[in-house]
Amino acid sequence: MSKAKASSEKSASASSRTISLLSQLEKINLDSVLGESDNARYITSKILHLVQSQEKTRKEMTSKGCTGIEVILSTLENTRDPQTILNILNILIEIVSVGGGRRASVLVTKGGTQILLQLLLTSSKASPPNEELMVLLHTLLAKIGPKDKKIGMKARINGVLNISLNLVKHNLQNHRLVLPCLQVLRVYSTNSVNAVSLGKNGVVELMFKIIGPFSKRNTSLMKVALDTLAALLKSKTNARRAVDRGYVQVLITIYVDWHHHDSRHRYMLIRKGVLQCIKSVTNIKLGRKAFLDANGMKILYNTSQECLAVRTLDPLVNISSLIMRKCFPKNRLPLPTIKSAFHFQLPVIPASGPVAQLYNLPPDVDDVVDESDDNDDAETESEIETEIDDDKDQHFKNEDIETDINKLKPRQELGRPIEELKMYEQFFPELSENFQEWDLVSKEPKPFVPDANLSGPIVVPTASEEHSTETNISAKGVALKECNPLLTEEYNKRPVFLELPKRENMKGSSLHQQNDQRNMLPSCQCLSQEIVKGLDRISLQNSAKNDQYYGTGCVVKKESKANNTTLACSKPCEHVSPCGGSLFEGSSVQLGKLCCTGVDSEEEEDSRSSSSGEHTMLQVSDVSPVHDCDLYLEMVKNTKSIPEYSEVAYPDYFGHIPPPFKEPILERRYGVQRTKICQDIERLIYQNDIIDRVVYDLDNLSCSVPEKADVLKFNSKFESGNLRKVIQIRKNEYDLILNSDINSNHYHQWFYFEVSGMKTGTAYRFNIINCEKSNSQFNYGMQPLMYSVQEALRSQPCWIRVGTDICYYKNHFSRSSIAAGGQKGKSYYTITFTVTFQHKDDVCYFAYHYPYTYSTLKMHLRKLESMHNPQQIYFRQDVLCETLAGNSCPLVTITAMPESNYYEHISQFKNRPYIFLSARVHPGETNASWVMKGTLEYLMSNSPNAQSLRESYIFKIIPMLNPDGVINGNHRCSLSGEDLNRQWQNPNPDLHPTIYHAKGLLQYLAAIKRLPLVYCDYHGHSRKKNVFMYGCSIKETMWHTNVNAASCDLMEDPAYRALPKILSHTAPAFCMGSCSFVVEKSKESTARVVVWREIGVQRSYTMESTLCGCDQGKYKGLQIGTRELEEMGAKFCAGLLRLKRMSSPLEYNLPSSVLDIENELIESSCKVTSPTTYVLDEDEPRFLEEVDYSAESNDEDVELADNADLGRHKVPKRRKRIANLKSVMFGIITEIMKASLFNVTKRLKKDIVHVLIRNGPKKEIILECL
């Protein structure tokens, strides 16, 4: 105790002594008495002793409320005594040397920078200058300079820039003085104007004298000189000067010398400094050219490869990769035009916008690349004087958030005359139906009845002749009879006439000729293994010469000349009427190639004895209650595409069932991106190794591929397919180019294509090279999807996540300013993944996400209609309108039939509130359709909850708002070349018919005072995880603009939060913390905002489902699949049912925790800092990940050149916290104020508020919310 007491007394004594000394020094400053210099020298020496010996003294002098720094600086400014100045400089150096940057910041805020610069200017006039004083001054300036963002401007104004430079010039051998001077020059050079000024005075040449030839002497000086040079060379003027004097070659030579001599890697910082200088000088075109001329690519490639074995040298490898990527010559995308390979002439050309510009381009303009390839210079900093405002973070304002209260307040506007809106009355027959003529007695579901008038043979030609022995045929015949004896009877029956309708000779067919042709077919041949081994194409042909007629059995025909095996599909399909404009007229519909070898050879014995082609097909066909292979083909017949597709992809034909295993988010292998970039750089260094062979090209349909076993075959000519061109780069590496959206020159993200001709055990690398987004979830564990036909034939028809070494990065293909919306210097990005196939000569399909075609939707709706009980479920399917291509846009109505035709039951039926749902406005967001599928199937199910939901609401559903975009493989646009989710404000009936009429339906409901309770538009999200919602709130929008919402006199019902909150508790994939209710200017024409603002639906949402996976809840760490997406659709319905019960005063139960309204928002910092700002043409916010795998950099490079999406426009943390608290408190207090509905006394409400004020956030925030 005595020791502790003594220590405490000593500390108190030292503290009081410091205060006493500072008081004396302050008195000397105030009195300004001559002869007091000795006293000042004595006092400052005593303070210096205390500062050097006690950390407590240093802390005390920079603590809040202490005037010690002001006194010291005032003395320094007023004294002329050299020793006092030296004492004070030493005191300040001791203070800022420890304790991080906070103490240096205190010195800056007290005006220390200006005083030191003035002292430097005064001291420099002495001849010769005091060396000790100069060393201390520069040491102190170097320490506080990084904390003063305006030090460069201050130094220039005070005229001290050249003082430090001249000191270095005249004292090159005095390393003690040169070192701090170089540190100050490095700080000055962060200002581009200063860098140019110093460059004119020879600083660049001076730095090269210091770094000179290789030498291990004075390495600390060389390190600082390299850092200074790297800062100077960021100026384009200085970089040009360095290039003109041949310094690029010098830098490369210095780096190679250090690389070879630093065998123990002790001087990695020097090597890194040299690379930083090369990186700076190659920001300009001349620097890149000089780098290439000096063989820099090969030198850096070789040195970086030698560094790979040592993990500590990764920073050198990463910077080398950045330099090589930057200097890689910009290549032209190998396309004749960036416009889509398909053309559709619009009925009306927009007066302005991207589509108008596209149509107005002269035909001879090269839109692939700009005339000048010197675009990267635009990415370097401008050399005009732009000083940094150190308060800009405090005054940051997100310009995209709407701040105009008048625009934010919902204003119900019909926008169209009542008379015009009456046209939509036909889509609401449920409001006028009296059900008097309906038989409401329960019945069994309607059977699926085929239409006898439909016809259409399904022909399966093979790629080559496959001979099979009679022994095999007989064996298979027996096997089939044993497994299905009914089939033998079917061969003796008369086949059903299934000819595809033809306009000219449909009536002139001879049934006698048909029978003759049928009798020529040996029925046993259908049992051949060739059905599996030789299947190459399934086509629906309407050629008179090839008309075949089949019964319910399966018939195979061998043609001696054509050597084709023909398979007839036995199952008839219904309700398909001939359509003159369909894509099948005058052509054939083909299923993509089946694997040529069928099952693998090692399993042939089992397959011969236990299965046949027909048996396999039957196993696959019934993968889902709503999937029917033959019905799908019938639906395809009336689907109209611009390319007039004549093939059907096998995944769409067979269907998809979720795999039984979990698919975790892929863990990224260390250094994979760096490895891929190095492999790309090898293309330039070892050009002779590059094959560069075009193997698939939509722009050149005559493109032929040599029949070689080592070349993969590609195809995308089927519904929703997207792949424009494929180039073989190396033996097992292919560059893939995606097609633009029709009538557009960008939006490259969705892909769906077929691959065949592969070998097992071989790793194939696929590079999709014309992506546009600056980052992707492919960098964060997402994998592409693959569908194997071999696996489907084995009764495993499913899409699975595949691929290793997946990454997404900027490549060397240049985007023209036309393609980049007027911006120059932009590059494309690459998705790369490696796949090893499991089966030889399989046929596999790859897709960005689980495909869901327009024909699949029509099939699902037809099946749902045929399977439901019409006495229990009111199901109606209408055609809302036709699209630009002539496809129908389905409108579905679902509710419960009334209990009887009594007035009370009919009245309850008609007065049910509406729920309006839509999906798939963006074709590439296929997950939205899978969520919608889950919703539809839940609504049509027989569960008591589903029946209760149908009895509670009338559902109006548009399951696909953009059929044309889906059919033609677009990612975002319709055939108009425009994002339909940006057309809701003023849709054009000629260009945007689905949006025009969808809005018309909502306007009609508003006109008859039947506003939907909920509107929700299903979307997919490519750059965030989980499922979440965007809604609309005035107050939350105002809070995030730092505007006092209380002053706006706004009263807002927080009911818009109820449904997302319910889903966060019931749906495992849903994340409340990712939800946002901010209204932004850039989203004013989206469905969510327009339906909220103009139609007046308070609960208007966009529900976003991840394309990747989840990072919270039950599915944390897993990639999302169709099972989870369909579950989300069902959970959404369950949430609506709970919302119904909550809104009923009789059924509502007060939650167990009234105050637990928005804990998720607190935990996640609300994540609504204007989530969609600065993401052009997206409905999605930027995503922030804990680990940065930037597409701009390498894996672990912390010195990013620029990270456009992840690093900009960050709202200050304190402001975000306040906004979050406001948002949370608003929800809590509103719930408290609503508590009177549940007999909570005023006294209890008052007590709750007091508890919140006492234990929660600041009182003023709560009062503002109140």
Side-chain angles (χ1 to χ4, degrees):
M1 289 295 294
S2 60
K3 287 184 178 180
K5 186 175 180 181
S7 176
S8 176
E9 290 177 352
K10 184 178 179 181
S11 176
S13 174
S15 175
S16 60
R17 197 184 322 157
T18 303
I19 295 173
S20 173
L21 291 171
L22 288 172
S23 299
Q24 296 177 41
L25 191 59
E26 185 177 16
K27 185 177 180 181
I28 293 174
N29 292 336
L30 292 174
D31 294 344
S32 300
V33 179
L34 294 175
E36 290 292 335
S37 58
D38 292 339
N39 288 339
R41 190 183 309 136
Y42 173 78
I43 294 172
T44 53
S45 64
K46 288 293 185 182
I47 296 175
L48 176 60
H49 175 72
L50 290 173
V51 168
Q52 289 175 334
S53 59
Q54 297 184 13
E55 169 62 17
K56 183 175 178 62
T57 304
R58 294 194 290 268
K59 285 184 178 179
E60 184 180 0
M61 291 189 66
T62 55
S63 62
K64 289 184 179 180
C66 179
T67 60
I69 294 293
E70 289 94 328
V71 173
I72 293 292
L73 290 176
S74 176
T75 306
L76 180 63
E77 188 176 18
N78 295 323
T79 187
R80 295 293 178 266
D81 180 54
Q83 189 57 49
T84 303
I85 293 174
L86 293 176
N87 289 342
I88 292 175
L89 290 177
N90 278 305
I91 291 170
L92 295 176
I93 290 172
E94 289 291 335
I95 290 174
V96 300
S97 293
V98 292
R102 191 191 68 82
R103 296 180 184 177
S105 298
V106 170
L107 193 58
V108 171
T109 57
K110 303 298 184 183
T113 307
Q114 184 66 29
I115 294 172
L116 292 174
L117 291 174
Q118 283 292 336
L119 180 59
L120 177 61
L121 180 63
T122 303
S123 303
S124 65
K125 295 176 181 177
S127 183
N130 186 325
E131 179 181 326
E132 182 67 20
L133 179 58
M134 288 299 174
V135 170
L136 294 177
L137 262 176
H138 282 86
T139 302
L140 188 55
L141 282 169
K143 289 182 180 296
I144 70 169
K147 294 299 178 182
D148 189 345
K149 296 180 179 179
K150 294 186 177 180
I151 188 172
M153 182 181 65
K154 293 175 181 176
R156 190 169 64 255
I157 292 174
N158 284 282
V160 300
L161 275 183
N162 292 322
I163 294 175
S164 303
L165 178 59
N166 291 329
L167 284 173
V168 175
K169 285 181 178 180
H170 297 116
N171 299 275
L172 276 178
Q173 304 306 316
N174 187 348
H175 296 158
R176 181 172 177 269
L177 176 59
V178 169
L179 184 62
C181 289
L182 288 177
Q183 291 172 334
V184 172
L185 287 174
R186 179 180 59 190
V187 173
Y188 291 164
S189 300
T190 56
N191 182 289
S192 59
V193 178
N194 290 351
V196 173
S197 177
L198 290 169
K200 291 178 180 178
N201 291 321
V203 69
V204 175
E205 294 82 354
L206 182 62
M207 293 302 106
F208 275 96
K209 283 183 181 180
I210 297 174
I211 65 176
F214 170 78
S215 173
K216 289 188 178 181
R217 292 181 299 174
N218 304 315
T219 54
S220 59
L221 183 65
M222 185 172 184
K223 173 65 180 69
V224 176
L226 286 169
D227 291 344
T228 305
L229 180 59
L232 289 165
L233 292 177
K234 288 181 180 179
S235 159
K236 289 193 290 186
T237 302
N238 291 337
R240 291 192 192 99
R241 182 176 284 108
V243 172
D244 292 341
R245 285 160 174 75
Y247 288 147
V248 175
Q249 177 69 63
V250 174
L251 287 171
I252 294 174
T253 303
I254 292 173
Y255 180 72
V256 171
D257 288 342
W258 278 100
H259 174 79
H260 289 155
H261 289 89
D262 186 22
S263 57
R264 297 186 179 182
H265 314 303
R266 294 178 176 176
Y267 303 103
M268 192 189 75
L269 291 179
I270 291 179
R271 294 159 67 181
K272 184 178 178 181
V274 179
L275 288 177
Q276 291 288 5
C277 293
I278 298 174
K279 180 182 170 185
S280 296
V281 80
T282 52
N283 279 337
I284 64 171
K285 182 181 178 181
L286 289 174
R288 295 191 293 274
K289 185 177 183 302
F291 178 80
L292 292 173
D293 292 343
N295 201 24
M297 289 289 282
K298 192 166 187 177
I299 291 171
L300 283 195
Y301 174 80
N302 291 333
T303 55
S304 62
Q305 293 300 303
E306 293 171 8
C307 292
L308 287 176
V310 184
R311 187 72 173 264
T312 56
L313 299 181
D314 276 356
L316 303 183
V317 178
N318 290 332
I319 299 174
S320 296
S321 297
L322 286 173
I323 295 169
M324 289 187 286
R325 289 174 64 192
K326 183 163 50 177
C327 295
F328 201 119
K330 289 293 182 183
N331 288 353
R332 172 196 177 94
L333 204 63
L335 292 175
T337 175
I338 54 173
K339 291 183 288 189
S340 173
F342 309 127
H343 177 69
F344 177 78
Q345 183 62 42
L346 293 177
V348 179
I349 308 300
S352 60
V355 180
Q357 294 174 6
L358 201 68
Y359 272 82
N360 292 330
L361 276 178
D364 57 339
V365 169
D366 184 0
D367 62 351
V368 180
V369 69
D370 292 326
E371 292 182 4
S372 170
D373 65 345
D374 188 18
N375 293 326
D376 280 0
D377 286 354
E379 297 179 358
T380 61
E381 77 284 348
S382 172
E383 292 186 12
I384 61 172
E385 184 174 353
T386 53
E387 304 300 343
I388 300 173
D389 182 2
D390 60 28
D391 295 326
K392 70 177 181 180
D393 284 342
Q394 284 71 18
H395 299 291
F396 173 82
K397 183 179 180 181
N398 193 328
E399 298 293 342
D400 193 39
I401 297 182
E402 184 59 74
T403 57
D404 189 336
I405 295 296
N406 295 324
K407 290 184 179 180
L408 279 174
K409 287 183 178 179
R411 55 184 191 283
Q412 192 169 333
E413 297 177 352
L414 294 181
R416 295 161 69 180
I418 297 293
E419 294 74 15
E420 185 179 335
L421 291 174
K422 285 183 179 179
M423 64 182 288
Y424 298 106
E425 186 176 357
Q426 61 179 310
F427 297 108
F428 298 91
E430 65 274 6
L431 296 179
S432 56
E433 181 63 64
N434 57 21
F435 294 94
Q436 296 305 311
E437 299 180 0
W438 288 60
D439 182 8
L440 299 180
V441 180
S442 177
K443 290 184 178 179
E444 294 297 322
K446 291 181 180 178
F448 182 75
V449 182
D451 191 342
N453 293 326
L454 292 178
S455 58
I458 303 178
V459 184
V460 190
T462 59
S464 60
E465 181 178 0
E466 295 283 350
H467 298 284
S468 61
T469 63
E470 285 191 13
T471 319
N472 288 342
I473 295 173
S474 303
K476 291 177 180 65
V478 174
L480 182 63
K481 289 177 184 179
E482 289 176 354
C483 68
N484 195 349
L486 294 177
L487 288 180
T488 54
E489 299 180 9
E490 298 297 335
Y491 289 119
N492 299 321
K493 293 182 180 179
R494 186 181 185 85
V496 178
F497 178 60
L498 288 175
E499 181 189 8
L500 199 76
K502 291 186 66 176
R503 291 187 175 185
E504 296 179 0
N505 58 357
M506 191 165 62
K507 296 181 180 180
S509 302
S510 169
L511 199 58
H512 176 71
Q513 293 176 355
Q514 297 161 8
N515 289 334
D516 289 345
Q517 292 179 4
R518 176 178 57 83
N519 292 333
M520 294 172 61
L521 303 177
S523 62
C524 62
Q525 287 187 8
C526 74
L527 309 176
S528 170
Q529 178 66 20
E530 294 177 8
I531 293 176
V532 176
K533 296 182 86 174
L535 287 177
D536 184 42
R537 284 282 185 268
I538 291 182
S539 65
L540 301 176
Q541 298 186 353
N542 57 352
S543 170
K545 296 181 180 179
N546 294 325
D547 283 346
Q548 305 293 337
Y549 307 99
Y550 306 94
T552 55
C554 180
V555 183
V556 177
K557 175 183 177 182
K558 275 276 191 172
E559 297 182 11
S560 57
K561 293 183 179 179
N563 293 324
N564 281 346
T565 304
T566 311
L567 171 67
C569 191
S570 61
K571 197 171 180 180
C573 303
E574 63 164 0
H575 303 314
V576 178
S577 57
C579 177
S582 75
L583 83 175
F584 291 98
E585 186 170 356
S587 61
S588 65
V589 176
Q590 302 175 334
L591 265 167
K593 291 177 290 186
L594 270 174
C595 39
C596 297
T597 59
V599 294
D600 287 343
S601 58
E602 63 268 18
E603 299 180 8
E604 280 190 10
E605 294 295 328
D606 294 336
S607 66
R608 290 177 181 178
S609 61
S610 64
S611 66
S612 67
E614 176 65 9
H615 186 214
T616 305
M617 296 287 286
L618 291 174
Q619 284 181 323
V620 172
S621 63
D622 192 22
V623 298
S624 168
V626 292
H627 189 88
D628 186 307
C629 301
D630 304 306
L631 180 57
Y632 180 81
L633 291 178
E634 293 299 330
M635 295 297 102
V636 170
K637 291 180 181 178
N638 289 330
T639 298
K640 303 171 186 178
S641 65
I642 303 308
E644 299 184 353
Y645 291 132
S646 60
E647 300 180 25
V648 175
Y650 269 95
D652 305 323
Y653 174 76
F654 283 146
H656 159 78
I657 55 175
F661 48 84
K662 296 179 179 179
E663 297 181 291
I665 290 175
L666 185 68
E667 185 175 350
R668 184 182 176 106
R669 183 171 61 84
Y670 179 82
V672 61
Q673 181 168 309
R674 185 177 61 199
T675 303
K676 296 295 182 181
I677 292 169
C678 286
Q679 291 174 2
D680 288 351
I681 291 167
E682 289 173 1
R683 299 188 188 190
L684 181 67
I685 299 174
Y686 307 110
Q687 297 184 16
N688 293 333
D689 296 340
I690 304 303
I691 299 174
D692 199 26
R693 175 195 296 144
V694 177
V695 297
Y696 180 74
D697 192 355
L698 286 182
D699 295 292
N700 180 17
L701 297 178
S702 62
C703 173
S704 60
V705 181
E707 290 296 330
K708 293 185 179 180
D710 59 347
V711 177
L712 295 179
K713 298 175 179 62
F714 294 82
N715 182 34
S716 63
K717 291 176 281 190
F718 46 79
E719 185 176 351
S720 294
N722 190 318
L723 179 64
R724 181 170 186 170
K725 190 171 185 176
V726 181
I727 303 170
Q728 185 182 18
I729 300 300
R730 299 181 179 94
K731 182 178 180 180
N732 299 317
E733 181 180 354
Y734 296 84
D735 279 357
L736 283 60
I737 301 175
L738 304 181
N739 196 22
S740 302
D741 287 3
I742 294 177
N743 277 315
S744 171
N745 55 20
H746 54 302
Y747 299 120
H748 307 105
Q749 187 167 334
W750 168 256
F751 57 86
Y752 184 17
F753 57 89
E754 170 195 296
V755 180
S756 59
M758 65 285 292
K759 297 179 180 179
T760 56
T762 300
Y764 293 92
R765 177 182 172 184
F766 300 97
N767 310 309
I768 300 174
I769 62 173
N770 64 330
C771 302
E772 295 172 323
K773 289 189 176 182
S774 58
N775 215 329
S776 167
Q777 281 290 329
F778 281 114
N779 274 340
Y780 303 91
M782 188 169 88
Q783 295 174 280
L785 287 145
M786 188 185 81
Y787 191 103
S788 166
V789 174
Q790 284 244 21
E791 292 297 322
L793 291 173
R794 294 188 172 126
S795 303
Q796 296 176 357
C798 58
W799 287 96
I800 58 172
R801 303 274 186 172
V802 297
T804 57
D805 294 347
I806 301 172
C807 56
Y808 185 95
Y809 57 90
K810 182 188 287 188
N811 61 33
H812 57 276
F813 291 101
S814 179
R815 293 167 64 185
S816 67
S817 57
I818 296 174
Q823 301 179 54
K824 289 190 175 184
K826 294 292 183 180
S827 296
Y828 285 106
Y829 292 80
T830 291
I831 300 171
T832 181
F833 57 93
T834 302
V835 176
T836 302
F837 297 98
Q838 300 300 312
H839 306 289
K840 182 181 179 182
D841 291 328
D842 196 359
V843 176
C844 294
Y845 292 79
F846 290 92
Y848 180 68
H849 198 67
Y850 301 93
Y852 190 101
T853 65
Y854 172 70
S855 299
T856 300
L857 171 67
K858 291 196 297 180
M859 176 197 66
H860 284 168
L861 293 178
R862 179 70 63 83
K863 292 291 287 185
L864 288 173
E865 184 176 11
S866 68
M867 293 165 62
H868 84 285
N869 184 345
Q871 269 60 49
Q872 186 180 25
I873 303 175
Y874 181 96
F875 179 94
R876 178 183 174 90
Q877 184 181 170
D878 296 291
V879 176
L880 176 63
C881 63
E882 282 199 347
T883 64
L884 292 178
N887 295 293
S888 61
C889 179
L891 170 67
V892 177
T893 304
I894 301 175
T895 188
M897 293 292 287
E899 293 183 32
S900 71
N901 53 15
Y902 290 148
Y903 172 80
E904 292 82 1
H905 293 155
I906 300 299
S907 177
Q908 190 276 339
F909 174 88
K910 294 181 179 180
N911 288 313
R912 293 170 187 168
Y914 276 94
I915 303 291
F916 202 107
L917 306 177
S918 61
R920 207 66 186 282
V921 70
H922 295 143
E925 296 169 5
T926 58
N927 47 356
S929 283
W930 289 100
V931 176
M932 180 58 75
K933 179 176 181 285
T935 294
L936 288 169
E937 291 183 10
Y938 183 90
L939 291 175
M940 298 295 288
S941 67
N942 295 322
S943 70
N945 282 342
Q947 178 62 19
S948 177
L949 187 63
R950 291 191 294 267
E951 291 172 354
S952 301
Y953 301 112
I954 300 174
F955 288 85
K956 285 288 180 184
I957 302 173
I958 306 177
M960 192 171 284
L961 278 167
N962 191 352
D964 288 345
V966 172
I967 293 166
N968 294 286
N970 285 6
H971 170 63
R972 197 168 186 84
C973 301
S974 69
L975 292 185
S976 69
E978 297 168 299
D979 181 350
L980 290 183
N981 203 36
R982 294 296 186 277
Q983 310 304 324
W984 278 80
Q985 269 191 326
N986 297 297
N988 185 310
D990 296 318
L991 294 177
H992 326 115
T994 59
I995 305 301
Y996 181 82
H997 294 294
K999 186 177 181 181
L1001 293 177
L1002 289 160
Q1003 289 172 324
Y1004 175 77
L1005 287 174
I1008 63 173
K1009 310 301 181 186
R1010 294 294 301 273
L1011 277 180
L1013 178 69
V1014 172
Y1015 171 77
C1016 189
D1017 191 20
Y1018 291 3
H1019 281 256
H1021 201 292
S1022 69
R1023 296 199 284 182
K1024 284 188 73 176
K1025 292 183 173 69
N1026 309 310
V1027 181
F1028 50 93
M1029 279 180 160
Y1030 296 140
C1032 302
S1033 165
I1034 302 177
K1035 283 212 166 186
E1036 291 196 39
T1037 303
M1038 301 309 296
W1039 283 326
H1040 288 282
T1041 57
N1042 214 19
V1043 175
N1044 189 340
S1047 64
C1048 302
D1049 193 24
L1050 294 175
M1051 293 298 294
E1052 187 174 47
D1053 186 351
Y1056 62 87
R1057 282 184 170 273
L1059 183 57
K1061 184 65 178 178
I1062 291 169
L1063 293 176
S1064 70
H1065 289 294
T1066 59
F1070 194 88
C1071 177
M1072 187 70 190
S1074 297
C1075 295
S1076 167
F1077 303 93
V1078 175
V1079 180
E1080 296 160 310
K1081 298 174 185 177
S1082 61
K1083 303 298 178 290
E1084 63 183 5
S1085 57
T1086 60
R1088 165 177 60 99
V1089 178
V1090 170
V1091 173
W1092 171 73
R1093 182 183 292 168
E1094 296 183 18
I1095 309 298
V1097 179
Q1098 184 189 21
R1099 294 182 177 92
S1100 178
Y1101 306 105
T1102 296
M1103 186 163 73
E1104 300 274 0
S1105 300
T1106 179
L1107 292 163
C1108 177
C1110 299
D1111 58 10
Q1112 53 88 47
K1114 175 182 175 182
Y1115 302 129
K1116 182 177 181 180
L1118 298 178
Q1119 296 186 77
I1120 203 161
T1122 56
R1123 182 186 288 109
E1124 292 76 28
L1125 292 169
E1126 291 182 49
E1127 178 193 62
M1128 187 64 236
K1131 292 293 185 181
F1132 180 82
C1133 294
L1136 291 173
L1137 186 59
R1138 183 171 294 191
L1139 182 69
K1140 170 70 175 178
R1141 293 170 179 168
M1142 287 179 64
S1143 61
S1144 170
L1146 298 177
E1147 299 183 22
Y1148 187 93
N1149 293 320
L1150 186 65
S1152 58
S1153 177
V1154 177
L1155 302 182
D1156 185 22
I1157 301 296
E1158 296 307 331
N1159 284 339
E1160 294 90 342
L1161 288 180
I1162 300 175
E1163 295 167 2
S1164 61
S1165 300
C1166 202
K1167 296 182 182 177
V1168 283
T1169 64
S1170 180
T1172 54
T1173 305
Y1174 307 108
V1175 182
L1176 300 178
D1177 296 320
E1178 297 294 342
D1179 287 329
E1180 48 192 54
R1182 303 181 309 277
F1183 68 102
L1184 302 176
E1185 298 280 358
E1186 292 180 1
V1187 182
D1188 175 28
Y1189 296 128
S1190 170
E1192 308 289 327
S1193 69
N1194 296 300
D1195 293 344
E1196 289 76 26
D1197 181 26
V1198 296
E1199 299 174 284
L1200 300 178
D1202 63 344
N1203 191 347
D1205 280 330
L1206 302 182
R1208 298 180 188 168
H1209 313 298
K1210 293 185 179 178
V1211 178
K1213 290 183 179 179
R1214 183 177 179 276
R1215 231 195 74 204
K1216 286 173 65 177
R1217 283 196 299 268
I1218 293 175
N1220 298 338
L1221 286 173
K1222 289 181 179 179
S1223 178
V1224 173
M1225 292 311 304
F1226 171 67
I1228 294 173
I1229 293 168
T1230 307
E1231 288 299 315
I1232 294 171
M1233 295 309 163
K1234 288 172 60 181
S1236 57
L1237 296 174
F1238 315 113
N1239 299 321
V1240 180
T1241 64
K1242 293 183 179 179
R1243 175 66 182 173
L1244 176 57
K1245 289 189 286 184
K1246 185 176 180 181
D1247 290 343
I1248 293 174
V1249 173
H1250 280 307
V1251 170
L1252 287 171
I1253 294 175
R1254 210 164 45 242
N1255 301 318
K1258 291 187 177 181
K1259 179 177 179 180
E1260 57 267 22
I1261 296 177
I1262 295 180
L1263 295 178
E1264 180 182 339
C1265 295
L1266 289 170

